[in-house]
Amino acid sequence: MFVHDRLTGTTQGVVADQPSSFVVISPDGSTVAMDDRDALGVIVHDRLDGTTLQAVAPSASRTGDARVDGVALSADAGHVAFG
């Protein structure tokens, strides 16, 4: 996964060695969230401090081979929704 800054012309590699079906970026470009194809969850990467977190649905809510069908970030990138 890559993020290209059109103002500076630079391209930065972001986490994930696998393709993602659902990717979102915060309005200021600092945070990227994408589906985690290995789990029912998402990967959230902070481009400013380089941290990466994984959010996974509780096991009680998983059914069969369910996968993430969508990802959304709040305006301040403080919350991620997926399902």
Side-chain angles (χ1 to χ4, degrees), residues 44-65:
V44 181
H45 179 71
D46 185 321
R47 297 178 57 229
L48 299 179
D49 66 17
T51 58
T52 302
L53 303 171
Q54 182 183 34
V56 180
S59 59
S61 65
R62 298 181 198 179
T63 57
D65 63 350

Side-chain angles (χ1 to χ4, degrees), residues 15-69:
V15 298
D17 295 338
Q18 61 200 13
S20 293
S21 300
F22 302 98
V23 179
V24 293
I25 191 165
S26 61
D28 66 359
S30 66
T31 305
V32 179
M34 63 202 81
D35 62 310
D36 182 349
R37 299 182 84 174
D38 293 333
L40 180 57
V42 294
I43 297 169
V44 181
H45 179 71
D46 185 321
R47 297 178 57 229
L48 299 179
D49 66 17
T51 58
T52 302
L53 303 171
Q54 182 183 34
V56 180
S59 59
S61 65
R62 298 181 198 179
T63 57
D65 63 350
R67 297 285 181 221
V68 172
D69 289 328

